Amino acid sequence: MVSTVSAIESLANGQVRSSIRALQPQLVAWRRHLHQRPELGFKEQLTAAFIAQKLTDWGVRHQTGIAKTGVVAVIPGTRPGPVLAVRADMDALPIQELNEVPYCSQHDGVMHACGHDGHTAIALGLAHYLSKNNDFSGTVKLIFQPAEEGPGGAKPMIEAGVLTHPTVDAIIGLHLWNNMPVGQMGVRAGALMAAVECFRCMIAGKGGHGAMPQQTIDPVVVSAQIVNALQAIVARNINPLDAAVVTVGELHAGSALNVIPDTARMSGTVRYFKPEYEGYFGQRMAAIIRGICQSHGATYELDYWQLYPALINDASMASLVRSIATEVIETPLGVVPECQTMGGEDMAFFLQQVPGCYFFLGSANAAKGLAYPHHHPRFDFDERVLCVGVEMFARCIEAFCR
Ligand code: NI
């Protein structure tokens, strides 16, 4: 068993070209600047202005204000060829940061707790590098996207035409990943992240005295049966070889121990990988809720919607990224193919339009206390991977645009 420590040492001396390694202090400075000024989805004004200023300084052609706060830069190579897009998300989360670091969030109640500050810094590093090293065939489009954490900036950016003029042939992107140590990358063909669907349901019964249930229709009992029965969709309806989750995350009813309430409310999320299940969970859920409510004489209102589709990587793009990751990382821990997660990502919308590959760049370092999960108020990552991200993208461009 190879220790994480040796993997980190190997990475520290890893396959990052000197001109990109030289960017590392700036990558850290940009990331910390952004970390101190986190902004929620579609409110990334300071972030977009920071990006635009850097691109202007480097003479990189770009457009701002796409889907409110998105920025798109276009960097042509010296010869004609394909168009490869690189996507980075920019938004933060409504979390109060608990880290005590000099670069702590200065915006109360808002925090870069998912690493999107790092994604933006990596894409800026790539823009800086390409502005001086454009000896490739084709064009690189850098997409700085708002609101990944919801309600989603990818779809409005596509609707605004970011995949045209010039038409994008393929797309790549990465997520810093604290579920993996520094020195690992996750690259997978096919489904990497799950479809995200959401529901809200209101159950209406008939309230009354807690000692006289015969005069009531108890929405608490009805809700309890619904919560249990919904679990049977995954257990009994879905092919056991397919993965899926039904989670009821909220259940609210009542206000006193001896009162049967009139109504109950619940909400939750559904996750799965296979696109053929699109629409299926909503139908099954409605049928189950309808049946249970009918049998008790209760009524219901159900809202069910898809937030993001499943994120599906193209097989040949994934194999290109995997071979490059193997060159860059050069450690025995290496490149992990089994890295699926039930988390969702709106990069999925881009991958529905053009072939591409989204991958995980391991960023945890437990020895330094940098291993909190994403969306945790103490989340932080090992910044040494920033230049590795730039190197990955630079090599992908060189391989794709040759
Ligand atoms: Ni994220």
Side-chain angles (χ1 to χ4, degrees), residues 50-104:
F50 182 75
I51 293 165
Q53 185 58 55
K54 293 288 176 212
L55 296 173
T56 303
D57 291 349
W58 305 329
V60 175
R61 186 158 67 87
H62 63 279
Q63 214 186 321
T64 57
I66 302 169
K68 290 190 183 147
T69 46
V71 181
V72 175
V74 176
I75 304 174
T78 51
R79 301 173 298 280
V83 180
L84 181 63
V86 177
R87 178 272 208 171
D89 43 10
M90 318 186 285
D91 59 320
L93 286 154
I95 293 174
Q96 182 66 43
E97 178 157 13
L98 292 181
N99 286 316
E100 283 155 20
V101 288
Y103 52 92
C104 209

Side-chain angles (χ1 to χ4, degrees), residues 87 89 91 93 113-116 119 148-149 175-177 193 344-345 358 374-375:
R87 178 272 208 171
D89 43 10
D91 59 320
L93 286 154
C114 199
H116 300 184
H119 303 166
E148 188 283 321
E149 302 288 359
H175 208 301
L176 296 171
W177 207 235
M193 300 180 79
E345 238 297 337
Y358 193 64
H374 296 260
H375 296 206

Side-chain angles (χ1 to χ4, degrees), residues 191-206:
L192 180 76
M193 300 180 79
V196 180
E197 298 184 346
C198 310
F199 64 91
R200 251 189 259 286
C201 184
M202 205 272 292
I203 312 292
K206 190 175 147 205

Side-chain angles (χ1 to χ4, degrees), residues 7 17 37 41 53 62 97 100 121 160 164 183 185 198 212 237 246 250 252 278-279 281 286 312 320 333 343 383:
R17 70 197 71 177
R37 296 161 184 82
Q53 185 58 55
H62 63 279
E97 178 157 13
E100 283 155 20
T164 59
M185 278 193 241
C198 310
M212 299 163 202
N237 298 143
V246 173
E250 281 185 288
H252 305 284
E278 216 157 281
F281 284 86
I312 314 283
L320 180 139
L333 284 171
E383 291 169 321

Side-chain angles (χ1 to χ4, degrees), residues 236-255:
R236 301 289 86 173
N237 298 143
I238 296 299
N239 183 333
L241 299 177
D242 297 337
V245 177
V246 173
T247 290
V248 178
E250 281 185 288
L251 181 56
H252 305 284
S255 56

